[in-house]
Amino acid sequence: MTAYILRRLLYAIPILIGVNLITFLLFFVVSSPDDMARMQLGVKRVTPEAIATWKRERGYDRPLLFDQEATGPGKVTNTIFFTKSVRLFAFDFGSSDSGRDIGFDIAQRMWPSLAIAVPVLLVGLAVNISLALFIVFFRATYIDYASVVLLVAMMSISGLFYIIGGQYLLSKLFHLVPISGYDTGPAAWKFLVLPVIIGVIGGIGTGTRWYRTLFLEEIGKDYVRTARAKGLSERLVLFRHVLRNALIPILTGVVVVLPLLFMGSLITESFFGIPGLGSYTIDAINNQDFAIVRAMVFLGSVLYILGLLLTDISYTLVDPRVRLG
């Protein structure tokens, strides 16, 4: 397994370089270093001298990808892409274009993101699996058919509908929780209740329908018919056999998203004013802060690769027959 993990980590290096290159190209197609300087300086008639000084202080005065005037390795190393990217592989995110320490901001903002993402994952997992087992128990009945129609309808509704509807009902109409904002310490719970509820409800359609499909596939297998032939009740068959043998695909969906919980939700955090990593990324895009965008995309890629690796490793824990080569 050690050799497998090392091999996967080595494979991740070219992937991260490619992701970083694509992010770099897409960003600088939209805005040039001069545009970034004007955005950060915040004045309409900024002087060319001020732009040149801003670019020089932040390392944007070099060529983008290739320096024709340099010699040897300097043609590549004396570029914006190289100087801004090489430190990422040491997880040195540096400073944002506005002068803030990106590493410090990430360390501070990941906690509000986790405060929403972890309850949504755990509660959503329990709700979706329970609903899926309930629907499968009444499979091929009107309850099953009506549930599928309802789940497809919930899948088709935009997440913005749940956010706006939840804010209107629970905040504006009934005044149960604040409509947006955030607080630290124990007082934060009242700002987190609504985003968590909406996150769970918004995921019921997709999650429950997927788990229902998994359970229905397991029910048609031979070991389930054998369990019924031994006289086990349908409830015991579902919980003792079907649910246990469906753990591998369930574990796949859970483990792969665990590292990504740190990244937060772009839409949810923006609408609820949560100072997490999702809103941090949105603000960076709006402010054309390439340093933050680059760092967040790189971090997201690393966490996603880590999630896939953890998924493969978890297979061996759930099913001893699985071996990593």
Side-chain angles (χ1 to χ4, degrees):
M1 181 181 293
T2 302
Y4 174 81
I5 294 174
L6 291 176
R7 188 165 62 249
R8 287 291 299 270
L9 293 177
L10 290 176
Y11 290 159
I13 295 177
I15 295 175
L16 293 175
I17 293 175
V19 169
N20 201 27
L21 178 60
I22 293 173
T23 304
F24 182 87
L25 293 175
L26 290 176
F27 191 92
F28 282 102
V29 164
V30 176
S31 59
S32 66
D34 288 353
D35 296 330
M36 296 163 55
R38 293 188 184 94
M39 174 68 73
Q40 294 295 327
L41 292 173
V43 290
K44 295 181 179 180
R45 295 184 178 180
V46 61
T47 63
E49 292 78 11
I51 293 178
T53 301
W54 186 92
K55 290 166 58 178
R56 184 173 60 256
E57 291 175 348
R58 289 159 178 79
Y60 290 113
D61 56 336
R62 299 182 175 93
L64 292 179
L65 290 170
F66 188 77
D67 188 358
Q68 296 180 349
E69 298 179 357
T71 58
K75 291 182 176 294
V76 176
T77 59
N78 189 35
T79 61
I80 296 177
F81 175 73
F82 185 86
T83 56
K84 297 292 183 182
S85 302
V86 68
R87 293 187 305 176
L88 292 178
F89 288 88
F91 294 96
D92 179 8
F93 300 118
S95 299
S96 67
D97 295 333
S98 59
R100 293 184 58 86
D101 187 334
I102 298 178
F104 177 80
D105 286 344
I106 291 176
Q108 295 296 314
R109 286 175 169 265
M110 73 176 185
W111 299 112
S113 295
L114 288 173
I116 296 177
V118 172
V120 169
L121 174 66
L122 298 179
V123 176
L125 191 65
V127 170
N128 293 338
I129 291 178
S130 301
L131 290 176
L133 288 172
F134 175 80
I135 294 172
V136 170
F137 185 82
F138 292 100
R139 61 192 176 279
T141 66
Y142 288 111
I143 294 178
D144 184 18
Y145 301 143
S147 299
V148 172
V149 172
L150 179 60
L151 293 176
V152 172
M154 295 182 69
M155 293 171 56
S156 305
I157 298 174
S158 170
L160 293 177
F161 174 82
Y162 295 110
I163 293 175
I164 296 173
Q167 287 179 327
Y168 177 78
L169 288 176
L170 299 182
S171 298
K172 188 173 182 180
L173 193 62
F174 296 112
H175 304 286
L176 297 178
V177 290
I179 194 170
S180 64
Y182 189 73
D183 198 358
T184 57
W189 71 268
K190 59 183 179 182
F191 295 99
L192 299 175
V193 170
L194 184 56
V196 170
I197 291 175
I198 292 176
V200 172
I201 294 176
I204 286 178
T206 303
T208 303
R209 191 165 183 266
W210 184 56
Y211 293 131
R212 171 186 174 274
T213 303
L214 294 180
F215 297 148
L216 287 178
E217 290 178 356
E218 292 294 326
I219 279 183
K221 294 183 178 180
D222 292 337
Y223 74 88
V224 174
R225 288 191 287 268
T226 302
R228 290 199 186 100
K230 292 181 178 179
L232 292 180
S233 66
E234 189 67 17
R235 180 177 61 83
L236 288 178
V237 169
L238 284 176
F239 283 94
R240 183 178 297 178
H241 296 281
V242 173
L243 179 59
R244 179 182 299 176
N245 285 277
L247 279 180
I248 285 185
I250 292 175
L251 192 64
T252 302
V254 173
V255 175
V256 76
V257 302
L258 284 179
L260 296 176
L261 296 179
F262 292 90
M263 299 303 294
S265 172
L266 301 178
I267 296 178
T268 300
E269 292 180 5
S270 297
F271 269 83
F272 288 101
I274 305 296
L277 293 179
S279 59
Y280 187 54
T281 305
I282 289 293
D283 293 341
I285 295 174
N286 292 333
N287 296 329
Q288 296 184 7
D289 196 319
F290 171 68
I292 297 177
V293 174
R294 175 204 65 212
M296 296 306 299
V297 172
F298 181 85
L299 182 59
S301 301
V302 171
L303 293 175
Y304 184 74
I305 293 172
L306 179 61
L308 294 178
L309 180 59
L310 291 176
T311 302
D312 292 342
I313 295 174
S314 65
Y315 283 159
T316 63
L317 301 178
V318 176
D319 191 346
R321 296 171 297 178
V322 177
R323 290 293 180 266
L324 300 178

